[in-house]
Amino acid sequence: QVLLAESGGGLVQAGASLRLSCVASGRTGSGSAMAWFRQAPGKEREFVAAIDRIAFKPYYEDSVKGRFTIFRDTAKNTLYLQMHNLKPEDTAVYYCAGRDSLVASMSGRDYEYWGQGAQVTVSS
């Protein structure tokens, strides 16, 4: 069992930056590919970014490319999502996810472990 706990959400104005963190604990989080998903009110959960376990190759949803950066500190079992130039359409609950694979996926169905979510609200 891997436990994931997000932090770092908040209310910011458009154009601001935020960094989300996700600490993995339990059986192990360091052996998992990790990802961020988000869900806005009234919408389905969507992929944001993911990162492989070994090669650390990142993957991004098109609307966040150039603004968001996913990275991980394996020594701290922590996943991060650095967000710049936030827009109102980025408003959502952001979820950290992990899967028992070295290779990331952009499908939420491929992830076994989920955090409780962190609210990010961007005002215009």
Side-chain angles (χ1 to χ4, degrees), residues 83-101:
M83 304 181 290
H84 293 298
N85 190 23
L86 282 161
K87 303 176 180 181
E89 51 264 43
D90 295 318
T91 295
V93 177
Y94 284 70
Y95 296 92
C96 170
R99 66 184 302 231
D100 288 330
S101 171

Side-chain angles (χ1 to χ4, degrees), residues 1-4 23-34 53 72 74-78 97-102 112-113:
Q1 181 72 19
V2 175
L3 302 176
L4 303 175
V23 178
S25 60
R27 178 167 58 84
T28 179
S30 61
S32 303
M34 305 288 292
R53 167 61 183 91
R72 61 193 300 172
T74 54
K76 296 182 178 179
N77 279 345
T78 302
R99 66 184 302 231
D100 288 330
S101 171
L102 300 179
E112 294 89 2
Y113 312 110

Side-chain angles (χ1 to χ4, degrees), residues 13-109:
Q13 290 188 331
S17 298
L18 274 178
R19 176 181 290 186
L20 300 180
S21 300
C22 172
V23 178
S25 60
R27 178 167 58 84
T28 179
S30 61
S32 303
M34 305 288 292
W36 290 97
F37 291 79
R38 66 187 180 187
Q39 187 166 20
K43 295 186 177 181
E44 294 187 351
R45 182 180 62 196
E46 67 173 359
F47 169 77
V48 176
I51 187 166
D52 291 337
R53 167 61 183 91
I54 298 298
F56 289 6
K57 179 180 179 180
Y59 306 82
Y60 297 100
E61 193 271 329
D62 285 345
S63 70
V64 307
K65 285 180 180 177
R67 299 189 299 122
F68 291 10
T69 301
I70 186 171
F71 60 102
R72 61 193 300 172
D73 184 335
T74 54
K76 296 182 178 179
N77 279 345
T78 302
L79 176 73
Y80 300 94
L81 184 68
Q82 179 66 54
M83 304 181 290
H84 293 298
N85 190 23
L86 282 161
K87 303 176 180 181
E89 51 264 43
D90 295 318
T91 295
V93 177
Y94 284 70
Y95 296 92
C96 170
R99 66 184 302 231
D100 288 330
S101 171
L102 300 179
V103 180
S105 168
M106 292 185 282
S107 172
R109 290 189 294 269

